[in-house]
Amino acid sequence: MATKERKILVAVDESEESTYALSWCLKNVVTENSKDTLVLLYVKPPHTVYSALDGTGYLFSQEILATMDKYRKDVAETVIQKAKMLCKDLQDVKVETRVEIGDPRDVICDVGEKMCVDMMVVGSHGYGLIKRAFLGSVSNHCAQNSKCPVLIVKKPKNTAANSPRT
Amino acid sequence: MATKERKILVAVDESEESTYALSWCLKNVVTENSKDTLVLLYVKPPHTVYSALDGTGYLFSQEILATMDKYRKDVAETVIQKAKMLCKDLQDVKVETRVEIGDPRDVICDVGEKMCVDMMVVGSHGYGLIKRAFLGSVSNHCAQNSKCPVLIVKKPKNTAANSPRT
């Protein structure tokens, strides 16, 4: 029975799938009156994904690069704030947040291993069409490479992000 | 918080990985005092996996085929009994067992969908080297094709089958 203290890593990002996965986890995995620790991890894509060169081969100006950095920082803050909001009703559960930079596939597995989490939760196809083309499927990668159990949560079609089925 | 009645499908087979996955699920997912229903599903490989022809092209005798059928039936019973034994301490949780015949990859997804389960649990690499060569990775297939959340439990190296880490 689920009574032990567990450390659960939830990968969060700006997608609806990620929001659904976190909500589902809160309703189905996090145990009432437990001393679980929930680690909300957002991984910022590395700077090189956007590339320092535009399509015509010219270097982006410092101004544009600074704007892009600001945007990335804002996205990270928004994602983490939204995830924390979803967790606001948890009582005994400790919520930690982390923002890392890198390829989400590797960073999620690395952080999970380093923090010795008992389980990780990832939304299926949580990185959108364009990013997935760059990054591949995060959930597949984690399922194959993580050393701990991986829960892959798929958002059913036509379901509001905040309303998991159960 | 995990307080709702949930239907959780656990794919079981004769492997240590499967036993570990079920034990892990019992300790980490099944909620104390819940009204969860646990469905233990064993999928017998289809007859054609063994083939009616031996290596030299001769048909197996009726006697051999009958022996193989008996063996398959015995394995199914042993797997289900062992899985039920692991669940014997559950109090409010209802335990159902099912034995189906077919390709485990498809059958697990089909049964999950037909029974409208809230979650399925599969051991990683739970089908052994030889069967995996025939059947491919069951956990990968379920993660990609199941419509409900899939928990993939990987047995850590050098861990006894009945002793999940947490």
Side-chain angles (χ1 to χ4, degrees), chain A residues 1-3 6 24 26-28 30 32 90 117-119 140 143-144 146 149-152 154 165-166, chain B residues 1-3 6 24 26-28 30-32 90 117-119 140 143-144 146 149-152 154 165-166:
Chain A
M1 292 291 187
T3 50
R6 302 172 303 171
W24 196 93
L26 295 176
K27 292 198 181 179
N28 287 278
V30 177
E32 211 162 359
L90 297 179
V117 300
D118 297 299
M119 177 183 190
N140 274 3
Q144 283 172 24
S146 160
V150 177
L151 175 62
I152 299 174
K154 203 171 284 186
R165 188 165 52 130
T166 56
Chain B
M1 294 288 187
T3 49
R6 301 173 303 172
W24 196 93
L26 295 176
K27 293 197 180 179
N28 288 277
V30 176
T31 317
E32 212 161 359
L90 297 179
V117 300
D118 297 300
M119 176 182 192
N140 273 4
Q144 284 173 21
S146 160
V150 177
L151 175 62
I152 299 174
K154 202 171 284 187
R165 187 166 52 131
T166 57

Side-chain angles (χ1 to χ4, degrees), chain B residues 41-50 69 72-73 76 98-108 110-111 114 135:
Chain B
L41 169 66
Y42 174 66
V43 185
K44 283 203 275 193
H47 212 273
T48 49
V49 166
Y50 298 103
D69 270 346
R72 281 151 36 92
K73 196 163 163 260
R98 284 187 73 153
V99 176
E100 301 283 343
I101 298 176
D103 182 328
R105 295 176 300 178
D106 298 323
V107 175
I108 293 169
D110 286 351
V111 170
K114 277 179 194 151
L135 300 171

Side-chain angles (χ1 to χ4, degrees), chain A residues 10 21 65 111 145:
Chain A
V10 185
L65 288 175
V111 170
N145 294 285

